[in-house]
Amino acid sequence: MRESNKIEIIGIDDEKVAERIHSQLRSLILSRERTIPGSRSFGLKGEFMDMLSPEAVNAFAIELEEKAEEFIPEISIAEVRAEQNIGSTARIQINVERRENL
């Protein structure tokens, strides 16, 4: 997660909205659940960290989608893809869509 600053928000014309969504999504990904007083459910559980790559990406995507729906309701997670690199690191691409009904 050390390269989490490389999240790109595409398809949102308003730069301020894109920056806010970027910040919210980054905070959600980097926070561990139960670590923020007053909002104990914010953040990811991180159980995917101990899984093998394909299962980890799937678990991460499911958890991120659920948490984004709760904490960033104006977006939905459309797709999460991973490329495995040498040295067992992965490059994660998260495609986000703006919800139409909000």
Side-chain angles (χ1 to χ4, degrees):
M1 292 298 202
R2 68 177 180 262
E3 294 185 21
S4 62
N5 60 338
K6 294 186 179 182
I7 296 170
E8 290 183 54
I9 305 294
I10 300 171
I12 297 178
D13 296 331
D14 187 336
E15 191 173 316
K16 287 185 180 186
V17 172
E19 286 178 22
R20 180 176 48 77
I21 290 171
H22 176 275
S23 178
Q24 291 173 329
L25 190 56
R26 185 172 189 272
S27 294
L28 185 61
I29 292 169
L30 294 177
S31 297
R32 281 294 187 113
E33 189 178 69
R34 305 187 57 75
T35 61
I36 299 176
S39 188
R40 294 289 186 190
S41 63
F42 185 83
L44 303 181
K45 292 178 185 175
E47 294 172 352
F48 52 85
M49 299 296 280
D50 294 329
M51 297 177 181
L52 297 174
S53 184
E55 293 86 11
V57 172
N58 189 42
F60 170 76
I62 291 168
E63 186 174 1
L64 182 61
E65 184 176 352
E66 291 170 356
K67 294 293 184 154
E69 185 176 344
E70 180 178 354
F71 292 102
I72 317 171
E74 69 189 282
I75 65 166
S76 63
I77 305 300
E79 180 181 23
V80 175
R81 287 188 278 163
E83 294 176 13
Q84 191 71 29
N85 297 327
I86 298 173
S88 73
T89 61
R91 180 176 180 266
I92 306 291
Q93 179 179 352
I94 302 167
N95 295 330
V96 175
E97 293 178 346
R98 193 166 193 167
R99 292 183 195 263
E100 297 295 327
N101 57 352
L102 293 177

